[in-house]
């Protein structure tokens, strides 16, 4: 656990500032209350008419800020956009309460208790907005986080479905540091391809290079793109939702659900390309860059990437050094590396560098292959043929099978984001605390009102039903506003904050049932909170309060 006094002081100052701003607004509103009417309990009937205009202006400003570029690599404008959207939505709550309840009131005109609840809720819409504003803010953030996590989970797993077509994956080492010095030699690859049960084998070479000394290293991936793409296409037709494999990109176990929407899986590339690939000019070598390469290094499709030419010139021996021009033919999604990846045809890499070694193997297996036995055979083969420090290649090798990888990946992902669900619960709890505080304050101010209702013949239970109905009406409208604002914030998080922060994009996914469950839970909890807060209002003190001097 790390503790920063400076950060703690900054957050404390922000909290105090937020409290002062939050107190200033109602204080200005209180200045405009008519004193005589307020003393008679009528001052709350005055409602400002500018709420809708202010809300629209703030929401439009939020939309404009979402279009702004990052500042120093940080999406400050996008964060401001989220704040403006939330404040704009809350500012529009009085208008929303009035507009909706004005249409609901005629429907309950002949039902006494619902009419009492609806009429008061719509005539003190300012108080309703204050009461549910915390719920709206917390629910909107919970909705936005839910959509963002669901979008990320779906996009990552679909990305893996595109880049991992094989049944078994083998790495030369089980750690990134060791992998830089542990390789599979061509003799080992040839021997592995002839093993019983191996239907097809493909290789991959990973290498680091530094095109910009001020930025982290970029990963160069060389693999036979045509083989991977053809096999991927065949498997998509045969088993559209049942495949899994190990990420050669991440070295972690990952799942393989359905195909990535919005991405192009070409038969010539085998990569989750964004859009259609460009034709490579004659005499040039086609490469495919990740989204981080576009953002950090300006490697845009249709241009020549000169730093890779310099990399091969320094890398290759003199007899292999050849002038080469690398044409960026497309952009692809790579969720494994945040700082950039370049994919190229393995044959071109070997021709330019003279390096025939590989780091990873992808094995397509016969249906009845004994996978554990095959893994043991590969370890024994590696001990005699693969190149590793100390000759312990078999012990360093890392394997991944489909079933284990899928289950492990989903468990790791869900565990990684489990904290977000707890944060959502805390946020909604804070919002409900605001509802409880607001209703409790109103209960103290409405004792005479409730006492009068009792004198007119309402029972204590009926008074509680009126209070609960008010709470349900307010929190229902708050839930509607919260879900709407949350979806707007989710769009900013998925399509603006995420690409600007991590340099990768994702497809927006709406977990409809989970969002409906969140909204329903807020409505139920808000209604129960209002009922509990109103229990003290319908007691003996409320009856006696009618005798007080008005």
């Amino acid at each position: 656990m790390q503790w920063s006094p400076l950060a703690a002081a900054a957050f404390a100052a922000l909290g105090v500032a937020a409290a002062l701003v939050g107190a200033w607004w109602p204080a200005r509103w209180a200045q405009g209350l008519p004193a005589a009417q307020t003393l008679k309990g009528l001052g709350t009937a005055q409602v400002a008419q500018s709420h809708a205009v202010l809300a629209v202006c703030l929401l439009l400003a939020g939309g404009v800020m979402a279009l702004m570029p990052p500042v120093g690599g940080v999406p400050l404008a996008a964060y401001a956009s989220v704040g403006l959207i939330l404040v704009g939505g809350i500012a529009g709550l009085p208008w929303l309460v009035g507009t909706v309840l004005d249409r609901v009131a005629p429907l309950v005109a002949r039902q006494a208790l619902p009419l009492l609840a609806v009429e008061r809720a719509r005539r003190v819409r300012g108080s309703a907005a204050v009461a549910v504003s915390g719920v709206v803010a917390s629910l909107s953030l919970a909705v936005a986080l839910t959509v963002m996590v669901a979008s990320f989970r779906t996009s990552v797993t679909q990305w893996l479905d595109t880049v991992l077509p094989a049944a078994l994956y083998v790495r030369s080492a089980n750690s990134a540091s060791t992998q830089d010095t542990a390789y599979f030699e061509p003799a080992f690859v040839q021997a592995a391809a002839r093993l019983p049960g191996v239907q097809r084998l493909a290789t991959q070479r990973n290498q680091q290079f530094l095109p910009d000394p001020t930025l982290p290293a970029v990963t160069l991936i060389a693999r036979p793109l045509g083989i991977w793409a053809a096999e991927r296409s065949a498997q998509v037709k045969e088993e559209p939702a049942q495949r899994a494999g190990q990420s050669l990109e991440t070295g972690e176990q990952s799942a393989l659900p359905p195909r990535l929407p919005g991405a192009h899986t070409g038969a010539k590339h085998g990569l989750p390309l964004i859009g259609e690939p460009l034709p490579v000019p004659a005499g040039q070598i086609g490469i495919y860059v990740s989204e981080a390469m576009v953002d950090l290094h300006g490697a845009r499709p249709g241009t020549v990437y000169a730093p890779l030419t310099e990399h091969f010139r320094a890398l290759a021996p003199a007899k292999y050094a050849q002038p080469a021009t690398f044409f960026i033919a497309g952009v692809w999604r790579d969720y494994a590396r945040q700082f950039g990846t370049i994919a190229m045809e393995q044959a071109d890499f070997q021709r330019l560098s003279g390096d025939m070694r590989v780091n990873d193997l992808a094995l397509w297996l016969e249906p009845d292959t004994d996978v554990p036995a095959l893994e043991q055979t590969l370890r024994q083969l590696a001990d005699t043929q693969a190149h590793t420090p100390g000759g312990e290649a078999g012990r360093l090798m890392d394997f991944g099978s489909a079933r284990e990888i899928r289950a492990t990946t989903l468990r790791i992902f869900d565990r990684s984001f489990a904290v977000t669900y707890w944060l959502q619960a805390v946020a909604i709890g804070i919002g409900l605390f605001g509802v409880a505080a607001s209703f409790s304050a109103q209960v103290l101010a409405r004792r005479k009102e409730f006492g009068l209702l009792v004198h007119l013949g309402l029972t204590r239970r009926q008074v509680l039903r009126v209070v609960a109905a008010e709470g349900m009406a307010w929190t229902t409208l708050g839930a509607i506003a919260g879900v709407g604002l949350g979806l707007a914030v989710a769009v900013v998080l998925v399509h603006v904050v995420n690409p600007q922060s991590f340099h990768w994009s994702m497809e927006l996914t709406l977990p409809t049932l989970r969002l409906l469950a969140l909204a329903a839970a807020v409505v139920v909890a808000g209604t129960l909170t209002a009922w509990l807060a109103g229990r003290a209002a319908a007691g003996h003190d409320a009856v006696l309060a009618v005798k007080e001097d008005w």
Side-chain angles (χ1 to χ4, degrees):
M1 182 175 180
Q2 302 295 323
W3 169 257
S4 172
L6 181 61
F11 281 115
L14 288 173
V16 172
L20 291 176
V21 173
W24 176 83
W25 191 284
R28 288 295 303 271
W29 175 77
Q31 281 184 318
L33 290 176
Q37 290 182 334
T38 302
L39 288 174
K40 296 179 180 181
L42 302 176
T44 55
Q46 303 297 324
V47 179
Q49 302 297 320
S50 60
H51 287 294
V53 176
L54 176 62
V56 171
C57 292
L58 289 173
L59 291 173
L60 289 177
V64 172
M65 292 299 290
L67 302 177
M68 303 296 289
V71 179
V74 180
L76 296 179
Y79 295 149
S81 171
V82 171
L84 289 171
I85 290 173
L86 291 178
V87 175
I90 292 174
L93 283 177
W95 171 83
L96 176 66
V97 171
T99 301
V100 174
L101 295 184
D102 284 348
R103 287 162 175 76
V104 173
L107 303 178
V108 296
R110 296 182 180 275
Q111 304 175 48
L113 297 185
L115 180 63
L116 284 172
V118 171
E119 282 296 327
R120 188 181 188 283
R122 75 187 184 99
R123 294 180 186 277
V124 291
R125 59 193 69 179
S127 299
V130 172
V132 301
S133 60
V135 168
V136 171
S138 58
L139 180 60
S140 61
L141 292 177
V143 167
L145 283 174
T146 300
V147 173
M148 185 186 69
V149 172
S151 301
F152 190 29
R153 190 180 195 273
T154 301
S155 297
V156 168
T157 51
Q158 292 175 343
W159 168 78
L160 290 169
D161 183 47
T162 304
V163 300
L164 303 175
L168 181 66
Y169 294 88
V170 187
R171 308 203 72 164
S172 59
N174 51 22
S175 67
S177 58
T178 309
Q179 191 180 15
D180 292 336
T181 56
Y183 307 98
F184 294 131
E185 297 287 356
F188 171 83
V189 175
Q190 295 173 6
R194 293 192 294 267
L195 291 177
V198 177
Q199 187 180 70
R200 176 179 293 184
L201 183 148
T203 61
Q204 178 171 296
R205 179 76 162 93
N206 301 327
Q207 191 177 80
Q208 302 288 321
F209 83 103
L210 195 64
D212 187 342
T214 63
L215 295 174
V218 169
T219 300
L220 176 63
I221 296 176
R223 69 183 190 183
L225 300 178
I227 295 178
W228 288 65
E231 197 65 29
R232 174 72 266 158
S233 178
Q235 289 198 10
V236 165
K237 294 179 180 179
E238 296 174 1
E239 303 175 74
Q242 306 298 326
R243 297 165 304 279
Q246 180 173 10
S247 173
L248 295 182
E249 327 301 334
T250 63
E252 298 177 357
Q253 296 178 328
S254 307
L256 298 177
R259 180 183 297 183
L260 178 68
H264 172 75
T265 305
K268 298 181 180 179
H269 311 287
L271 296 171
L273 296 178
I274 300 176
E276 294 291 332
L278 300 176
V280 181
Q284 299 186 18
I285 299 173
I287 61 173
Y288 303 89
V289 300
S290 67
E291 296 169 293
M293 291 295 299
V294 179
D295 294 339
L296 299 178
H297 298 274
R300 303 193 177 280
T303 63
V304 173
Y305 191 62
L308 194 56
T309 303
E310 299 300 323
H311 172 70
F312 276 103
R313 181 176 290 121
L315 177 69
K319 63 178 181 178
Y320 291 110
Q322 304 176 31
T325 303
F326 296 94
F327 178 82
I328 302 175
V331 178
W332 61 291
R333 287 178 177 168
D334 182 13
Y335 293 125
R337 299 173 182 84
Q338 188 177 342
F339 301 110
T341 313
I342 300 175
M344 64 179 298
E345 183 65 44
Q346 192 173 54
D348 293 327
F349 175 86
Q350 294 175 346
R351 176 174 56 84
L352 294 173
S353 66
D355 188 352
M356 308 299 290
R357 302 170 299 177
V358 297
N359 304 101
D360 305 310
L361 304 179
L363 286 77
W364 288 265
L365 306 179
E366 300 291 345
D368 299 328
T369 301
D370 187 344
V371 176
L374 177 60
E375 293 179 2
Q376 184 61 31
T377 302
L378 287 170
R379 291 187 190 276
Q380 294 172 357
L381 183 64
D383 286 335
T384 59
Q385 296 194 28
H387 169 69
T388 58
E392 297 182 351
R395 182 178 60 84
L396 295 176
M397 290 171 62
D398 193 21
F399 294 86
S401 64
R403 293 181 182 273
E404 296 171 351
I405 291 168
R406 181 178 182 86
T408 303
T409 299
L410 295 179
R411 185 171 64 252
I412 291 173
F413 187 97
D414 293 336
R415 186 169 57 195
S416 300
F417 287 94
V419 65
T420 61
Y421 301 117
W422 288 104
L423 291 176
Q424 292 174 22
V426 170
I428 292 177
I430 293 174
L432 292 175
F433 181 82
V435 172
S438 178
F439 267 93
S440 298
Q442 291 187 41
V443 160
L444 295 176
R446 296 169 61 188
R447 288 189 308 133
K448 297 175 183 179
E449 174 190 337
F450 294 133
L452 180 60
L453 291 176
V454 172
H455 276 290
L456 292 176
L458 269 68
T459 65
R460 183 172 183 271
R461 177 172 297 181
Q462 288 175 320
V463 173
L464 288 177
R465 286 172 58 187
V466 171
V467 176
E470 289 182 29
M472 183 175 66
W474 290 4
T475 51
T476 298
L477 294 175
I480 294 173
V483 171
L485 290 176
L487 294 178
V489 172
V491 171
V492 177
L493 293 179
V494 171
H495 294 301
V496 182
V497 174
N498 189 72
Q500 291 183 1
S501 298
F502 304 105
H503 312 293
W504 57 50
S505 61
M506 63 177 68
E507 301 295 329
L508 186 67
T509 301
L510 298 181
T512 306
L513 293 179
R514 187 176 297 175
L515 297 182
L516 290 176
L518 272 175
V522 166
V523 173
V524 172
T527 303
L528 180 60
T529 300
W531 181 83
L532 292 174
R535 291 186 64 184
H540 183 67
D541 291 342
V543 178
L544 296 179
V546 181
K547 299 180 180 180
E548 296 177 4
D549 183 16
W550 285 66

